[in-house]
Amino acid sequence: MISDFNDPELSGKYLGTITSDFVKISDLLKEASYQVRSRGFSDFPIFPISKEMQPIGKIFLGKAEKNLDWNYFITYVDEFVQRKLIAEDALEEFKKAYKDPDEFCCLFVIDGAFTSFVYVPYPEE
């Protein structure tokens, strides 16, 4: 189960490459998040990111497509519960910690055994 929503390892090892990718594609991620929510799929879209292909969600943007460091996938909280990545008894805690999806993108960083949620603010328009 994933319980840590703000891992300190993120800042040193990952935040630089995540941020440099994010500025290139934040508009696409924001629009995809809006579509997931407006079409009633989920109020909690999640974008798993990984340097390798991985099984959570569907591929949204491959790193080669946009010259990125990470592959971006799209899913929502239900898949995390189904895969037991978020325990059912921790779902309410996750929903309370989930930041406003109009202002923040919920990324799920996957790098080998390291996994962590990170919320990245969308750039101001």
Side-chain angles (χ1 to χ4, degrees):
M1 186 197 84
I2 298 149
S3 61
D4 192 359
F5 297 111
N6 192 10
D7 192 308
E9 191 173 344
L10 272 170
S11 28
K13 191 170 178 184
Y14 299 105
L15 230 41
T17 62
I18 292 170
T19 304
S20 68
D21 271 7
F22 191 77
V23 296
K24 297 176 190 173
I25 61 167
S26 61
D27 289 346
L28 295 169
L29 295 172
K30 189 173 188 176
E31 178 62 22
S33 171
Y34 172 77
Q35 291 298 330
V36 165
R37 292 177 287 123
S38 68
R39 293 177 183 196
F41 293 119
S42 177
D43 291 333
F44 303 95
I46 301 171
F47 296 91
I49 67 171
S50 177
K51 297 197 178 199
E52 308 301 324
M53 295 306 285
Q54 57 78 35
I56 304 169
K58 303 274 184 251
I59 187 73
F60 179 66
L61 288 171
K63 59 185 181 181
E65 284 179 65
K66 299 272 185 189
N67 193 24
L68 304 169
D69 287 322
W70 299 85
N71 292 303
Y72 286 75
F73 300 81
I74 186 168
T75 189
Y76 26 91
V77 72
D78 300 5
E79 181 176 357
F80 277 73
V81 173
Q82 289 166 1
R83 290 179 175 270
K84 298 183 176 19
L85 296 168
I86 295 175
E88 288 200 35
D89 61 357
L91 183 56
E92 283 310 309
E93 179 187 344
F94 175 84
K95 288 180 176 180
K96 285 179 191 165
Y98 192 90
K99 296 188 178 195
D100 180 347
D102 286 323
E103 296 181 27
F104 292 88
C105 184
C106 178
L107 301 177
F108 181 65
V109 181
I110 303 166
D111 187 31
F114 176 83
T115 59
S116 183
F117 286 99
V118 61
Y119 293 89
V120 181
Y122 292 112
E124 302 266 332
E125 302 203 13

